[in-house]
Amino acid sequence: MTPRQLKIALGVSVALNLFAVGALASGAILGPRLAREEAPPPTRVPMLQVVESLPEAQRDTVRQTLRENALAARPDFREARQARVEAVELASGPQFDRAVVTEALARSTAAEMRGRARLEQGALDMLEALPPEQRADLAPILAKTGARHRRHRGDRDGRNRNGGDRRAERSAETPAD
């Protein structure tokens, strides 16, 4: 080999070694951190699968009851969404009145809580009418799972493109799932 070829080979070797050292250092530093941050796999069976596992007669009744509960709660969630949009508009306007914005946010929260309470009470009424083994299967519908759904749908802050509150829309469309 000529001295020029040796210099080129040495340069390539040094570059590859630096790359390998950088990769090892990154793995050593970030590896444990990434392992800690991994979310555990979901252990809960999705609501629709639980409903599907019920006998057909009860499956239809449960579906109908959940749908009726969602439809009954929908106006509350719409009111919550409208009050939240109003609060955003008031806060972004030329004059900021904290009391007015706070009142709009309070109306939004109260309406959302009414809707959630309506869904929960409807679920409790349904659970009360079921035998113990089916009640145990359906009891997880009382768990709050909105954050998990937003994360899986790629919606980090709960807002849709139109500025509406997707959390409230989701709760009104499919109760407690």
Side-chain angles (χ1 to χ4, degrees):
M1 286 184 120
T2 65
R4 183 169 190 245
Q5 290 175 331
L6 283 174
K7 288 179 186 177
I8 292 173
L10 179 63
V12 169
S13 175
V14 168
L16 286 175
N17 285 331
L18 286 175
F19 178 75
V21 168
L24 287 173
S26 296
I29 292 170
L30 295 177
R33 184 182 302 166
L34 292 175
R36 279 192 313 267
E37 292 177 1
E38 284 185 21
T43 56
R44 182 174 164 239
V45 177
M47 173 65 179
L48 294 176
Q49 283 182 336
V50 173
V51 172
E52 290 298 321
S53 71
L54 294 173
E56 190 168 336
Q58 286 184 322
R59 184 182 328 149
D60 294 338
T61 303
V62 167
R63 268 196 208 127
Q64 184 63 30
T65 302
L66 292 174
R67 180 163 177 68
E68 288 170 2
N69 291 341
L71 290 174
R74 183 173 279 172
D76 294 321
F77 290 118
R78 279 193 183 130
E79 181 183 339
R81 200 169 40 256
Q82 288 169 348
R84 183 72 53 171
V85 167
E86 180 184 333
V88 169
E89 289 172 357
L90 290 168
S92 61
Q95 298 293 324
F96 181 77
D97 186 349
R98 183 183 185 107
V100 174
V101 174
T102 300
E103 189 273 330
L105 291 173
R107 280 187 290 123
S108 173
T109 302
E112 189 169 344
M113 297 310 290
R114 275 194 315 274
R116 168 109 9 234
R118 210 178 286 231
L119 290 175
E120 290 170 350
Q121 291 306 310
L124 290 174
D125 293 342
M126 179 192 62
L127 290 171
E128 187 175 41
L130 294 174
E133 60 277 353
Q134 291 170 347
R135 186 176 337 116
D137 289 340
L138 287 176
I141 66 174
L142 298 174
K144 292 183 180 181
T145 59
R148 183 173 62 91
H149 281 89
R150 283 192 305 277
R151 189 169 53 245
H152 289 303
R153 291 170 49 212
D155 182 11
R156 294 191 183 132
D157 65 352
R159 299 266 168 215
N160 65 20
R161 281 185 228 137
N162 300 327
D165 193 342
R166 183 171 282 160
R167 290 170 291 207
E169 291 172 359
R170 175 75 178 150
S171 295
E173 292 169 4
T174 19
D177 182 26

